[in-house]
Amino acid sequence: MGSLNSQENISSNLFTNPLDPEEFRRQGHLVIDFIADYYKSIEKYPVLSQVQPGYLKKRLPDSAPYNPEPLETILQDVQDHIVPGITHWQSPNYFAYFPSSSSVAGFLGEMLSSGFNVVGFNWMSSPAATELESIVMDWFGNMLELPKSFLFSGNGGGVIQGTTCEALVCAMVAARDQKLRKIGRENIGKLVVYGSDQTHSALQKASQIVGIHPENFRTIETTRSTSFALSPESLKVTIHSDIEAGLVPLFLCATMGTTAIATVDPLGPLCSVAVDYGMWVHVDAAYAGSACICPEFRHFLDGVEGADSFSLNAHKWFFTTLDCCCLWVKNPNALVSSLSTYPEFLRNKATESKQVVDYKDWQIALSRRFRSMKLWLVLRSYGVANLRNFLRSHVKMAKIFEGLVGMDKRFEIVAPRNFSLVCFRVSPAAINNKASSDQNGKRDYCCDANGDEYSVVINDVNRKLLESINGSGHVYMTHGVVGGLYMLRFAVGATLTEEHHIALAWKVVQEHADQILIKY
């Protein structure tokens, strides 16, 4: 090693302008080629990463390099050390959680957004970033046939957040402050938030952040009789009980496409209950909302006109890269009233004219990315007709998988399929030494959530089956538990998935079931 001065001289000789256009062009081509090659060969990788915790620390140096390294060397390290630690969400054999679908247009929009690298906190900081977002959110809202009251062309408006949790926090803060202005801020401890036992955990996190007392967070039990959708009657009973206890109903989150089984809460009846008590209603359609651009799925949004806010994640099932959560509100002033700050360094004539949108007042953070660019490219590059066809193809493939499950008597479908998610499990009848113990020979196993020994065995078999499937690396699925019943979730939605991948996935399921069931 030389002296510090000599190292600095070497470093200065190697250093170039970090934003040199021609070097960007050269290196950009290298990265594009690398990513294109990755997608071309993505199926050779195990879908679920097979590394162990701490693997990367053993492979990388203890400190950052003192001198520059060529991109070629870095990309080789990405291939050798990073790719093995990636779970390949874009693999055509990825069927876990919900999709995080992407597209060429989504990638290129992200490149443009990052390339401009604007910080669009208010209109003046980049007028195009603000105005494109407003336009695109109205475009998308019209595609979904949202009521005009949610659009800028009405009296509402849309904003692109990072995630559903952020959208929920913003909506709940607005609801909280509206209510406290009426009942007094000293009564924040009386406010109650409502969801079901199928509502995403983001609601609980949002209520914690907003300052709702932990004991005032309600998870209302759902049952199989309603396909595990939130019952308006159960909601009403719970609200009455809270009012009698001196509490104040604040916020209801209804879901279109729940996490475990993609069930849909009855939006109209739930909104009718909530309006009687002056509650804010948010509709979380993070996964399934995108499907409503197809007329055959739009009925799932019936009743949304009674809600105060609505959100979906374009980065889930709408071919737009993470992060892109679209939030529409009927009363933007409620958001602005709760989230606005106006320090001296941000004062400007455009804002004071009241003729522009300053999106910093519609979100938690001050700074914000040019997210609308990628959504704009997706909408323009594919058009409504193609986007509908993409979504329909995923639903069609889910139907194919559902049919394959139905043809094998060892398996059963355990929840209605509404969109592109199939929930299934090994049937109790396939577990020989246990099935014979049932005296009647018939039993409503899908309802069996008593936690008895038999239920435990059935759940354990399905748990082992999922672990075996995922351990193979050929496909990746995740599980859900509803009413005590453990099930495998097969979520179609990766952009590269085709029908032959569905057949392959089912073959993998059958082969691993053969190995598991031989022990029972």
Side-chain angles (χ1 to χ4, degrees), residues 72-111:
E72 292 84 350
T73 299
I74 299 170
L75 287 178
Q76 188 60 55
D77 281 350
V78 171
Q79 183 65 55
D80 295 342
H81 305 312
I82 303 302
V83 170
I86 290 176
T87 290
H88 300 278
W89 284 66
Q90 305 310 314
S91 169
N93 299 308
Y94 181 97
F95 305 102
Y97 304 107
F98 283 130
S100 180
S101 62
S102 57
S103 63
V104 172
F107 290 145
L108 297 181
E110 190 72 66
M111 287 178 63

mmCIF file of all heavy atoms in Angstrom, residues 72-111:
data_model
loop_
_atom_site.group_PDB
_atom_site.id
_atom_site.type_symbol
_atom_site.label_atom_id
_atom_site.label_comp_id
_atom_site.label_asym_id
_atom_site.label_seq_id
_atom_site.Cartn_x
_atom_site.Cartn_y
_atom_site.Cartn_z
ATOM 1 N N GLU A 72 -18.030 -3.173 -15.487
ATOM 2 C CA GLU A 72 -17.977 -4.572 -15.881
ATOM 3 C C GLU A 72 -17.683 -5.476 -14.693
ATOM 4 O O GLU A 72 -18.278 -6.559 -14.542
ATOM 5 C CB GLU A 72 -16.917 -4.779 -16.973
ATOM 6 C CG GLU A 72 -17.243 -4.139 -18.306
ATOM 7 C CD GLU A 72 -16.861 -2.660 -18.396
ATOM 8 O OE1 GLU A 72 -16.516 -2.061 -17.348
ATOM 9 O OE2 GLU A 72 -16.904 -2.102 -19.509
ATOM 10 N N THR A 73 -16.772 -5.043 -13.828
ATOM 11 C CA THR A 73 -16.431 -5.820 -12.632
ATOM 12 C C THR A 73 -17.607 -5.855 -11.664
ATOM 13 O O THR A 73 -17.922 -6.897 -11.079
ATOM 14 C CB THR A 73 -15.201 -5.202 -11.929
ATOM 15 O OG1 THR A 73 -14.090 -5.224 -12.830
ATOM 16 C CG2 THR A 73 -14.854 -5.980 -10.661
ATOM 17 N N ILE A 74 -18.261 -4.725 -11.511
ATOM 18 C CA ILE A 74 -19.406 -4.648 -10.596
ATOM 19 C C ILE A 74 -20.538 -5.545 -11.078
ATOM 20 O O ILE A 74 -21.139 -6.284 -10.287
ATOM 21 C CB ILE A 74 -19.886 -3.191 -10.458
ATOM 22 C CG1 ILE A 74 -18.771 -2.314 -9.877
ATOM 23 C CG2 ILE A 74 -21.134 -3.119 -9.578
ATOM 24 C CD1 ILE A 74 -19.052 -0.830 -9.925
ATOM 25 N N LEU A 75 -20.829 -5.512 -12.376
ATOM 26 C CA LEU A 75 -21.896 -6.347 -12.906
ATOM 27 C C LEU A 75 -21.572 -7.833 -12.764
ATOM 28 O O LEU A 75 -22.476 -8.652 -12.553
ATOM 29 C CB LEU A 75 -22.159 -6.009 -14.378
ATOM 30 C CG LEU A 75 -22.872 -4.680 -14.644
ATOM 31 C CD1 LEU A 75 -23.017 -4.442 -16.144
ATOM 32 C CD2 LEU A 75 -24.239 -4.650 -13.979
ATOM 33 N N GLN A 76 -20.307 -8.173 -12.864
ATOM 34 C CA GLN A 76 -19.935 -9.573 -12.647
ATOM 35 C C GLN A 76 -20.206 -9.982 -11.201
ATOM 36 O O GLN A 76 -20.677 -11.092 -10.928
ATOM 37 C CB GLN A 76 -18.455 -9.793 -12.985
ATOM 38 C CG GLN A 76 -18.039 -11.265 -12.971
ATOM 39 C CD GLN A 76 -18.820 -12.098 -13.976
ATOM 40 O OE1 GLN A 76 -18.854 -11.779 -15.166
ATOM 41 N NE2 GLN A 76 -19.471 -13.158 -13.499
ATOM 42 N N ASP A 77 -19.963 -9.060 -10.274
ATOM 43 C CA ASP A 77 -20.264 -9.338 -8.866
ATOM 44 C C ASP A 77 -21.776 -9.424 -8.636
ATOM 45 O O ASP A 77 -22.235 -10.212 -7.804
ATOM 46 C CB ASP A 77 -19.661 -8.259 -7.970
ATOM 47 C CG ASP A 77 -18.163 -8.464 -7.752
ATOM 48 O OD1 ASP A 77 -17.656 -9.536 -8.143
ATOM 49 O OD2 ASP A 77 -17.512 -7.551 -7.206
ATOM 50 N N VAL A 78 -22.544 -8.602 -9.357
ATOM 51 C CA VAL A 78 -24.003 -8.714 -9.271
ATOM 52 C C VAL A 78 -24.431 -10.122 -9.683
ATOM 53 O O VAL A 78 -25.245 -10.771 -9.010
ATOM 54 C CB VAL A 78 -24.696 -7.660 -10.159
ATOM 55 C CG1 VAL A 78 -26.196 -7.921 -10.226
ATOM 56 C CG2 VAL A 78 -24.435 -6.256 -9.629
ATOM 57 N N GLN A 79 -23.866 -10.588 -10.796
ATOM 58 C CA GLN A 79 -24.214 -11.919 -11.287
ATOM 59 C C GLN A 79 -23.790 -13.011 -10.308
ATOM 60 O O GLN A 79 -24.555 -13.949 -10.020
ATOM 61 C CB GLN A 79 -23.540 -12.160 -12.641
ATOM 62 C CG GLN A 79 -23.882 -13.494 -13.276
ATOM 63 C CD GLN A 79 -25.354 -13.599 -13.634
ATOM 64 O OE1 GLN A 79 -25.883 -12.754 -14.342
ATOM 65 N NE2 GLN A 79 -26.027 -14.618 -13.146
ATOM 66 N N ASP A 80 -22.594 -12.873 -9.757
ATOM 67 C CA ASP A 80 -22.037 -13.939 -8.919
ATOM 68 C C ASP A 80 -22.570 -13.927 -7.490
ATOM 69 O O ASP A 80 -22.729 -14.994 -6.878
ATOM 70 C CB ASP A 80 -20.506 -13.822 -8.878
ATOM 71 C CG ASP A 80 -19.866 -14.067 -10.236
ATOM 72 O OD1 ASP A 80 -20.545 -14.644 -11.114
ATOM 73 O OD2 ASP A 80 -18.698 -13.657 -10.427
ATOM 74 N N HIS A 81 -22.844 -12.741 -6.956
ATOM 75 C CA HIS A 81 -23.151 -12.639 -5.530
ATOM 76 C C HIS A 81 -24.563 -12.130 -5.211
ATOM 77 O O HIS A 81 -25.134 -12.533 -4.193
ATOM 78 C CB HIS A 81 -22.130 -11.717 -4.847
ATOM 79 C CG HIS A 81 -20.710 -12.137 -5.076
ATOM 80 N ND1 HIS A 81 -20.270 -13.436 -4.907
ATOM 81 C CD2 HIS A 81 -19.625 -11.426 -5.487
ATOM 82 C CE1 HIS A 81 -18.983 -13.512 -5.189
ATOM 83 N NE2 HIS A 81 -18.561 -12.301 -5.543
ATOM 84 N N ILE A 82 -25.094 -11.255 -6.035
ATOM 85 C CA ILE A 82 -26.414 -10.683 -5.754
ATOM 86 C C ILE A 82 -27.527 -11.559 -6.305
ATOM 87 O O ILE A 82 -28.500 -11.871 -5.599
ATOM 88 C CB ILE A 82 -26.527 -9.257 -6.329
ATOM 89 C CG1 ILE A 82 -25.422 -8.356 -5.756
ATOM 90 C CG2 ILE A 82 -27.911 -8.683 -6.029
ATOM 91 C CD1 ILE A 82 -25.420 -8.239 -4.240
ATOM 92 N N VAL A 83 -27.408 -11.982 -7.552
ATOM 93 C CA VAL A 83 -28.469 -12.787 -8.167
ATOM 94 C C VAL A 83 -28.800 -14.042 -7.354
ATOM 95 O O VAL A 83 -29.978 -14.379 -7.195
ATOM 96 C CB VAL A 83 -28.112 -13.134 -9.632
ATOM 97 C CG1 VAL A 83 -29.089 -14.161 -10.202
ATOM 98 C CG2 VAL A 83 -28.125 -11.867 -10.488
ATOM 99 N N PRO A 84 -27.815 -14.745 -6.789
ATOM 100 C CA PRO A 84 -28.176 -15.924 -5.974
ATOM 101 C C PRO A 84 -29.034 -15.583 -4.761
ATOM 102 O O PRO A 84 -29.766 -16.442 -4.259
ATOM 103 C CB PRO A 84 -26.816 -16.491 -5.540
ATOM 104 C CG PRO A 84 -25.863 -16.021 -6.584
ATOM 105 C CD PRO A 84 -26.353 -14.649 -6.961
ATOM 106 N N GLY A 85 -28.967 -14.345 -4.295
ATOM 107 C CA GLY A 85 -29.737 -13.936 -3.132
ATOM 108 C C GLY A 85 -31.041 -13.245 -3.483
ATOM 109 O O GLY A 85 -31.688 -12.655 -2.612
ATOM 110 N N ILE A 86 -31.440 -13.313 -4.732
ATOM 111 C CA ILE A 86 -32.696 -12.703 -5.167
ATOM 112 C C ILE A 86 -33.782 -13.763 -5.251
ATOM 113 O O ILE A 86 -33.560 -14.847 -5.803
ATOM 114 C CB ILE A 86 -32.536 -12.022 -6.545
ATOM 115 C CG1 ILE A 86 -31.650 -10.777 -6.424
ATOM 116 C CG2 ILE A 86 -33.890 -11.643 -7.131
ATOM 117 C CD1 ILE A 86 -31.364 -10.108 -7.753
ATOM 118 N N THR A 87 -34.944 -13.470 -4.690
ATOM 119 C CA THR A 87 -36.143 -14.242 -4.997
ATOM 120 C C THR A 87 -36.745 -13.596 -6.229
ATOM 121 O O THR A 87 -37.029 -12.394 -6.242
ATOM 122 C CB THR A 87 -37.123 -14.235 -3.818
ATOM 123 O OG1 THR A 87 -36.558 -15.027 -2.755
ATOM 124 C CG2 THR A 87 -38.472 -14.821 -4.219
ATOM 125 N N HIS A 88 -36.942 -14.369 -7.265
ATOM 126 C CA HIS A 88 -37.198 -13.821 -8.596
ATOM 127 C C HIS A 88 -38.685 -13.553 -8.806
ATOM 128 O O HIS A 88 -39.421 -14.368 -9.372
ATOM 129 C CB HIS A 88 -36.621 -14.761 -9.653
ATOM 130 C CG HIS A 88 -35.146 -14.957 -9.501
ATOM 131 N ND1 HIS A 88 -34.217 -14.070 -9.991
ATOM 132 C CD2 HIS A 88 -34.438 -15.911 -8.845
ATOM 133 C CE1 HIS A 88 -32.995 -14.473 -9.674
ATOM 134 N NE2 HIS A 88 -33.105 -15.591 -8.974
ATOM 135 N N TRP A 89 -39.100 -12.379 -8.359
ATOM 136 C CA TRP A 89 -40.500 -11.973 -8.414
ATOM 137 C C TRP A 89 -41.023 -11.891 -9.849
ATOM 138 O O TRP A 89 -42.223 -11.990 -10.083
ATOM 139 C CB TRP A 89 -40.686 -10.615 -7.727
ATOM 140 C CG TRP A 89 -40.652 -10.683 -6.237
ATOM 141 C CD1 TRP A 89 -39.585 -11.012 -5.447
ATOM 142 C CD2 TRP A 89 -41.737 -10.407 -5.352
ATOM 143 N NE1 TRP A 89 -39.942 -10.955 -4.121
ATOM 144 C CE2 TRP A 89 -41.257 -10.579 -4.025
ATOM 145 C CE3 TRP A 89 -43.057 -10.013 -5.537
ATOM 146 C CZ2 TRP A 89 -42.064 -10.388 -2.903
ATOM 147 C CZ3 TRP A 89 -43.862 -9.811 -4.418
ATOM 148 C CH2 TRP A 89 -43.362 -10.005 -3.121
ATOM 149 N N GLN A 90 -40.156 -11.689 -10.802
ATOM 150 C CA GLN A 90 -40.591 -11.582 -12.199
ATOM 151 C C GLN A 90 -40.507 -12.910 -12.942
ATOM 152 O O GLN A 90 -40.794 -12.967 -14.144
ATOM 153 C CB GLN A 90 -39.756 -10.521 -12.922
ATOM 154 C CG GLN A 90 -39.752 -9.158 -12.264
ATOM 155 C CD GLN A 90 -41.143 -8.652 -11.923
ATOM 156 O OE1 GLN A 90 -42.053 -8.718 -12.733
ATOM 157 N NE2 GLN A 90 -41.311 -8.155 -10.695
ATOM 158 N N SER A 91 -40.115 -13.960 -12.257
ATOM 159 C CA SER A 91 -40.068 -15.279 -12.897
ATOM 160 C C SER A 91 -41.468 -15.709 -13.322
ATOM 161 O O SER A 91 -42.447 -15.477 -12.604
ATOM 162 C CB SER A 91 -39.494 -16.317 -11.923
ATOM 163 O OG SER A 91 -39.681 -17.634 -12.421
ATOM 164 N N PRO A 92 -41.588 -16.363 -14.465
ATOM 165 C CA PRO A 92 -42.908 -16.875 -14.868
ATOM 166 C C PRO A 92 -43.407 -17.984 -13.956
ATOM 167 O O PRO A 92 -44.577 -18.363 -14.037
ATOM 168 C CB PRO A 92 -42.663 -17.388 -16.288
ATOM 169 C CG PRO A 92 -41.197 -17.667 -16.350
ATOM 170 C CD PRO A 92 -40.553 -16.638 -15.475
ATOM 171 N N ASN A 93 -42.535 -18.473 -13.092
ATOM 172 C CA ASN A 93 -42.909 -19.522 -12.141
ATOM 173 C C ASN A 93 -43.108 -18.973 -10.729
ATOM 174 O O ASN A 93 -43.130 -19.733 -9.759
ATOM 175 C CB ASN A 93 -41.847 -20.623 -12.139
ATOM 176 C CG ASN A 93 -41.717 -21.284 -13.496
ATOM 177 O OD1 ASN A 93 -42.705 -21.719 -14.069
ATOM 178 N ND2 ASN A 93 -40.506 -21.330 -14.028
ATOM 179 N N TYR A 94 -43.274 -17.673 -10.647
ATOM 180 C CA TYR A 94 -43.538 -17.013 -9.360
ATOM 181 C C TYR A 94 -45.049 -16.885 -9.174
ATOM 182 O O TYR A 94 -45.732 -16.222 -9.957
ATOM 183 C CB TYR A 94 -42.887 -15.626 -9.329
ATOM 184 C CG TYR A 94 -43.094 -14.885 -8.037
ATOM 185 C CD1 TYR A 94 -42.109 -14.897 -7.051
ATOM 186 C CD2 TYR A 94 -44.258 -14.168 -7.790
ATOM 187 C CE1 TYR A 94 -42.295 -14.209 -5.854
ATOM 188 C CE2 TYR A 94 -44.458 -13.494 -6.605
ATOM 189 C CZ TYR A 94 -43.458 -13.519 -5.637
ATOM 190 O OH TYR A 94 -43.648 -12.848 -4.460
ATOM 191 N N PHE A 95 -45.575 -17.524 -8.123
ATOM 192 C CA PHE A 95 -47.014 -17.501 -7.847
ATOM 193 C C PHE A 95 -47.289 -17.167 -6.378
ATOM 194 O O PHE A 95 -48.338 -17.507 -5.841
ATOM 195 C CB PHE A 95 -47.645 -18.853 -8.203
ATOM 196 C CG PHE A 95 -47.381 -19.294 -9.619
ATOM 197 C CD1 PHE A 95 -46.426 -20.251 -9.907
ATOM 198 C CD2 PHE A 95 -48.073 -18.715 -10.673
ATOM 199 C CE1 PHE A 95 -46.179 -20.657 -11.215
ATOM 200 C CE2 PHE A 95 -47.839 -19.104 -11.983
ATOM 201 C CZ PHE A 95 -46.888 -20.080 -12.255
ATOM 202 N N ALA A 96 -46.361 -16.495 -5.725
ATOM 203 C CA ALA A 96 -46.457 -16.222 -4.298
ATOM 204 C C ALA A 96 -47.119 -14.870 -4.030
ATOM 205 O O ALA A 96 -47.242 -14.026 -4.921
ATOM 206 C CB ALA A 96 -45.064 -16.248 -3.678
ATOM 207 N N TYR A 97 -47.544 -14.680 -2.767
ATOM 208 C CA TYR A 97 -48.126 -13.412 -2.313
ATOM 209 C C TYR A 97 -49.149 -12.911 -3.348
ATOM 210 O O TYR A 97 -50.059 -13.604 -3.736
ATOM 211 C CB TYR A 97 -47.023 -12.383 -2.059
ATOM 212 C CG TYR A 97 -45.986 -12.857 -1.076
ATOM 213 C CD1 TYR A 97 -44.698 -13.223 -1.504
ATOM 214 C CD2 TYR A 97 -46.280 -12.987 0.277
ATOM 215 C CE1 TYR A 97 -43.748 -13.680 -0.589
ATOM 216 C CE2 TYR A 97 -45.336 -13.440 1.187
ATOM 217 C CZ TYR A 97 -44.075 -13.788 0.752
ATOM 218 O OH TYR A 97 -43.146 -14.237 1.635
ATOM 219 N N PHE A 98 -48.969 -11.660 -3.781
ATOM 220 C CA PHE A 98 -49.641 -11.152 -4.965
ATOM 221 C C PHE A 98 -48.555 -10.731 -5.945
ATOM 222 O O PHE A 98 -47.413 -10.479 -5.538
ATOM 223 C CB PHE A 98 -50.545 -9.970 -4.631
ATOM 224 C CG PHE A 98 -51.849 -10.365 -3.984
ATOM 225 C CD1 PHE A 98 -52.282 -9.758 -2.814
ATOM 226 C CD2 PHE A 98 -52.648 -11.349 -4.549
ATOM 227 C CE1 PHE A 98 -53.483 -10.128 -2.223
ATOM 228 C CE2 PHE A 98 -53.853 -11.728 -3.972
ATOM 229 C CZ PHE A 98 -54.264 -11.117 -2.806
ATOM 230 N N PRO A 99 -48.874 -10.632 -7.226
ATOM 231 C CA PRO A 99 -47.825 -10.312 -8.202
ATOM 232 C C PRO A 99 -47.249 -8.922 -7.996
ATOM 233 O O PRO A 99 -47.879 -8.041 -7.415
ATOM 234 C CB PRO A 99 -48.555 -10.413 -9.547
ATOM 235 C CG PRO A 99 -50.004 -10.221 -9.224
ATOM 236 C CD PRO A 99 -50.187 -10.839 -7.863
ATOM 237 N N SER A 100 -46.037 -8.753 -8.488
ATOM 238 C CA SER A 100 -45.428 -7.427 -8.606
ATOM 239 C C SER A 100 -45.050 -7.277 -10.067
ATOM 240 O O SER A 100 -43.886 -7.279 -10.440
ATOM 241 C CB SER A 100 -44.193 -7.309 -7.698
ATOM 242 O OG SER A 100 -43.601 -6.028 -7.823
ATOM 243 N N SER A 101 -46.081 -7.199 -10.904
ATOM 244 C CA SER A 101 -45.875 -7.293 -12.348
ATOM 245 C C SER A 101 -45.157 -6.066 -12.886
ATOM 246 O O SER A 101 -45.328 -4.953 -12.403
ATOM 247 C CB SER A 101 -47.217 -7.480 -13.057
ATOM 248 O OG SER A 101 -48.071 -6.375 -12.836
ATOM 249 N N SER A 102 -44.341 -6.300 -13.901
ATOM 250 C CA SER A 102 -43.587 -5.210 -14.520
ATOM 251 C C SER A 102 -43.735 -5.306 -16.029
ATOM 252 O O SER A 102 -44.422 -6.185 -16.549
ATOM 253 C CB SER A 102 -42.116 -5.284 -14.108
ATOM 254 O OG SER A 102 -41.571 -6.555 -14.455
ATOM 255 N N SER A 103 -43.097 -4.405 -16.732
ATOM 256 C CA SER A 103 -43.202 -4.355 -18.190
ATOM 257 C C SER A 103 -42.071 -3.504 -18.733
ATOM 258 O O SER A 103 -41.419 -2.759 -17.993
ATOM 259 C CB SER A 103 -44.550 -3.755 -18.601
ATOM 260 O OG SER A 103 -44.654 -2.408 -18.160
ATOM 261 N N VAL A 104 -41.845 -3.614 -20.029
ATOM 262 C CA VAL A 104 -40.847 -2.757 -20.665
ATOM 263 C C VAL A 104 -41.203 -1.296 -20.442
ATOM 264 O O VAL A 104 -40.348 -0.473 -20.089
ATOM 265 C CB VAL A 104 -40.763 -3.082 -22.166
ATOM 266 C CG1 VAL A 104 -39.880 -2.056 -22.882
ATOM 267 C CG2 VAL A 104 -40.213 -4.489 -22.381
ATOM 268 N N ALA A 105 -42.476 -0.965 -20.625
ATOM 269 C CA ALA A 105 -42.897 0.434 -20.438
ATOM 270 C C ALA A 105 -42.667 0.886 -19.004
ATOM 271 O O ALA A 105 -42.246 2.022 -18.755
ATOM 272 C CB ALA A 105 -44.367 0.599 -20.812
ATOM 273 N N GLY A 106 -42.951 0.001 -18.041
ATOM 274 C CA GLY A 106 -42.723 0.346 -16.647
ATOM 275 C C GLY A 106 -41.254 0.613 -16.357
ATOM 276 O O GLY A 106 -40.899 1.574 -15.653
ATOM 277 N N PHE A 107 -40.383 -0.242 -16.897
ATOM 278 C CA PHE A 107 -38.941 -0.043 -16.714
ATOM 279 C C PHE A 107 -38.479 1.271 -17.338
ATOM 280 O O PHE A 107 -37.725 2.041 -16.737
ATOM 281 C CB PHE A 107 -38.155 -1.186 -17.358
ATOM 282 C CG PHE A 107 -38.290 -2.504 -16.663
ATOM 283 C CD1 PHE A 107 -38.307 -3.673 -17.396
ATOM 284 C CD2 PHE A 107 -38.381 -2.586 -15.289
ATOM 285 C CE1 PHE A 107 -38.422 -4.905 -16.772
ATOM 286 C CE2 PHE A 107 -38.505 -3.802 -14.649
ATOM 287 C CZ PHE A 107 -38.521 -4.967 -15.399
ATOM 288 N N LEU A 108 -38.922 1.520 -18.571
ATOM 289 C CA LEU A 108 -38.465 2.717 -19.264
ATOM 290 C C LEU A 108 -38.997 3.979 -18.598
ATOM 291 O O LEU A 108 -38.298 5.004 -18.533
ATOM 292 C CB LEU A 108 -38.897 2.658 -20.732
ATOM 293 C CG LEU A 108 -38.300 1.495 -21.537
ATOM 294 C CD1 LEU A 108 -38.777 1.555 -22.982
ATOM 295 C CD2 LEU A 108 -36.776 1.505 -21.463
ATOM 296 N N GLY A 109 -40.230 3.910 -18.091
ATOM 297 C CA GLY A 109 -40.751 5.045 -17.341
ATOM 298 C C GLY A 109 -39.933 5.313 -16.088
ATOM 299 O O GLY A 109 -39.679 6.471 -15.732
ATOM 300 N N GLU A 110 -39.515 4.240 -15.438
ATOM 301 C CA GLU A 110 -38.662 4.389 -14.254
ATOM 302 C C GLU A 110 -37.327 5.015 -14.632
ATOM 303 O O GLU A 110 -36.773 5.853 -13.903
ATOM 304 C CB GLU A 110 -38.438 3.014 -13.615
ATOM 305 C CG GLU A 110 -37.778 3.044 -12.248
ATOM 306 C CD GLU A 110 -38.701 3.564 -11.160
ATOM 307 O OE1 GLU A 110 -39.697 2.894 -10.864
ATOM 308 O OE2 GLU A 110 -38.393 4.644 -10.607
ATOM 309 N N MET A 111 -36.797 4.615 -15.783
ATOM 310 C CA MET A 111 -35.531 5.201 -16.244
ATOM 311 C C MET A 111 -35.683 6.695 -16.492
ATOM 312 O O MET A 111 -34.809 7.496 -16.111
ATOM 313 C CB MET A 111 -35.069 4.503 -17.521
ATOM 314 C CG MET A 111 -34.525 3.102 -17.324
ATOM 315 S SD MET A 111 -34.047 2.338 -18.893
ATOM 316 C CE MET A 111 -32.737 3.435 -19.429
#
